[in-house]
Amino acid sequence: MPFVILLILMAVGDVLWWRHALQQPRRWMRWMGGIFATFQLAGLAVILASRGGTALEEAMPRPLHSMIFFWHLLVLLPWLAWRSLGGLGVLARKLARTPQPPEISPVNGGAGFTRREFLGAAAAFTPPLLTLGAAGVGETQLDDFRVRRLIVPVPDLPPALDGLTIAHITDLHVGRFTRGRVLERIVEEANRLDADVVALTGDFINHSLRDLPAALELVRALRARSVVAACEGNHDLFENPRIFYRDCERGGLPLLRGGLADLTVRGQRVQLLG
């Protein structure tokens, strides 16, 4: 239900943005804003249709896909909240019956923007420009990943486990944005760490079960001195949790689902919870 509500808010936001764009004073502003809003709403529809088992989104260039995600998840909803707060402020002033001085627009012969037009244009086009810029920067980083080395002090740790290494791999999101050579690089770098334990904490796929075989192939290629263990993430369960669990079991990926596993690591009994 929360996911459905979020989708409804996104669609409503696109419609309100389209309406806001059509209220701009210049024709070219209305055209640009309207085209951008129509593209975003259509893109959202394509992505949602793909969740039903079709591959419509595969035909969409990845930069456009990135822009649609960034717009709906990081720009549109805050803009919608800002507009809502502004509307509540107007309503509060009306209820308080506070007299407002009439707005006087300076005479403009059409040669340039009035101050009000300029502020309106800035409010209308800053979010799309932010979306375009952020999506462009994100595209240059999609095939990168980060390895961070942390030393975690554990009081009363058994001497046998002193220096134990855990390779924590998370949020692979195999799918539209993570595929191909970058998956091989992740395996190579993780195996190079030669960790005692490899812990995978979910979001193996972005949302489509079509990408699960590639994710399972990656997991099977991982190496650990003692154990490779995993639990699921929320993205793994978007499409069909039952099929996800079944295919993981068939693919040789036992998941810790609210349980624990008894292991022997460096000769020491260890309980792993997931």
Side-chain angles (χ1 to χ4, degrees), residues 36-134:
F36 181 83
T38 302
F39 162 76
Q40 290 291 349
L41 187 57
L44 179 64
V46 167
I47 292 174
L48 293 180
S50 300
R51 292 173 56 83
T54 64
L56 289 174
E57 64 176 336
E58 297 296 329
M60 184 186 302
R62 198 175 74 171
L64 298 183
H65 204 148
S66 300
M67 187 167 62
I68 291 167
F69 265 92
F70 190 90
W71 168 255
H72 286 99
L73 296 178
L74 297 177
V75 176
L76 182 62
L77 294 181
W79 177 84
L80 193 59
W82 176 75
R83 290 281 294 180
S84 300
L85 290 175
L88 291 175
V90 172
L91 179 61
R93 288 195 297 271
K94 287 183 178 180
L95 292 176
R97 299 182 182 277
T98 303
Q100 298 292 325
E103 294 188 7
I104 301 176
S105 299
V107 177
N108 182 15
F113 282 109
T114 64
R115 180 174 180 274
R116 184 176 181 180
E117 287 177 341
F118 176 80
L119 293 176
F125 290 104
T126 296
L129 290 175
L130 178 63
T131 300
L132 290 169

Side-chain angles (χ1 to χ4, degrees), residues 49-238:
S50 300
R51 292 173 56 83
T54 64
L56 289 174
E57 64 176 336
E58 297 296 329
M60 184 186 302
R62 198 175 74 171
L64 298 183
H65 204 148
S66 300
M67 187 167 62
I68 291 167
F69 265 92
F70 190 90
W71 168 255
H72 286 99
L73 296 178
L74 297 177
V75 176
L76 182 62
L77 294 181
W79 177 84
L80 193 59
W82 176 75
R83 290 281 294 180
S84 300
L85 290 175
L88 291 175
V90 172
L91 179 61
R93 288 195 297 271
K94 287 183 178 180
L95 292 176
R97 299 182 182 277
T98 303
Q100 298 292 325
E103 294 188 7
I104 301 176
S105 299
V107 177
N108 182 15
F113 282 109
T114 64
R115 180 174 180 274
R116 184 176 181 180
E117 287 177 341
F118 176 80
L119 293 176
F125 290 104
T126 296
L129 290 175
L130 178 63
T131 300
L132 290 169
V137 172
E139 271 295 312
T140 65
Q141 301 178 358
L142 274 178
D143 292 329
D144 293 331
F145 57 90
R146 180 175 57 181
V147 178
R148 298 180 62 195
R149 297 178 183 270
L150 305 176
I151 298 176
V152 183
V154 180
D156 302 321
L157 184 71
L161 298 181
D162 186 28
L164 174 77
T165 56
I166 302 173
H168 175 205
I169 304 173
T170 190
D171 292 84
L172 295 167
H173 287 275
V174 176
R176 188 70 173 99
F177 299 111
T178 310
R179 58 177 55 176
R181 173 58 184 157
V182 66
L183 300 180
E184 299 175 3
R185 290 173 51 222
I186 291 172
V187 170
E188 293 168 0
E189 191 64 34
N191 288 343
R192 191 175 293 116
L193 297 174
D194 193 28
D196 294 291
V197 177
V198 173
L200 299 141
T201 49
D203 283 354
F204 297 96
I205 57 177
N206 195 40
H207 67 77
S208 175
L209 289 170
R210 296 193 306 270
D211 300 310
L212 185 56
L216 293 177
E217 183 179 354
L218 180 153
V219 174
R220 286 192 293 266
L222 292 170
R223 299 289 178 263
R225 294 182 182 181
S226 297
V227 65
V228 176
C231 63
E232 80 277 19
N234 63 316
H235 277 252
D236 299 322
L237 309 181
F238 277 171

Side-chain angles (χ1 to χ4, degrees), residues 16-24 29-30 32-34 37 124:
L16 290 178
W17 179 266
W18 179 79
R19 180 174 176 270
H20 178 67
L22 295 184
Q23 293 174 344
Q24 295 305 307
M29 295 166 60
R30 294 193 292 270
M32 290 183 63

